[in-house]
Amino acid sequence: MDEIDGLPVPHREAIAATRRQLAPYVRTTPVFERADLPGAEATTVQFKFELLQASGTFKVRGAFSNMLALDAPARTRGVTAISAGNHAV
């Protein structure tokens, strides 16, 4: 497996597997493309509308990915999350 700064880089199948795991918890949000932004005319820029998640942010993906990666004993002990912002939603 490839690494960056000692951390494994996920490959396509790992990303697809995580997407399948998250499906019951995370909304599929649209992507909007622009290729005519001033100063970046030769570049296609994609905007992912994560503001349409229940929390209004992308953070739900990371939170659920980490919780789903816990083993059974860790899940049994429970999870505590602390946030005063979007993650708390």
Side-chain angles (χ1 to χ4, degrees), residues 83-89:
S83 171
N86 292 329
H87 189 74
V89 175

Side-chain angles (χ1 to χ4, degrees), residues 1 3 6 8 10 15 29 39 46-47 49 64 67 71-73 76 79 82:
M1 179 176 286
E3 293 184 357
I15 293 168
T29 56
Q46 296 181 330
F47 298 92
F49 282 76
F64 273 105
M67 288 190 288
D71 61 19
T76 300
V79 175
I82 300 170

Side-chain angles (χ1 to χ4, degrees), residues 5-87:
D5 293 333
L7 298 172
V9 176
H11 293 280
R12 183 179 290 267
E13 183 49 43
I15 293 168
T18 300
R19 182 174 191 245
R20 287 189 296 273
Q21 282 186 306
L22 293 175
Y25 312 103
V26 178
R27 294 177 182 163
T28 299
T29 56
V31 175
F32 178 71
E33 287 190 359
R34 293 285 303 267
D36 60 348
L37 296 174
E41 290 85 356
T43 304
T44 300
V45 179
Q46 296 181 330
F47 298 92
K48 182 80 168 123
F49 282 76
E50 290 297 274
L51 65 133
L52 299 176
Q53 291 296 340
S55 65
T57 71
F58 66 91
K59 294 177 175 92
V60 67
R61 295 180 195 284
F64 273 105
S65 293
N66 282 301
M67 288 190 288
L68 292 169
L70 296 174
D71 61 19
R75 286 187 194 179
T76 300
R77 289 190 300 273
V79 175
T80 301
I82 300 170
S83 171
N86 292 329
H87 189 74

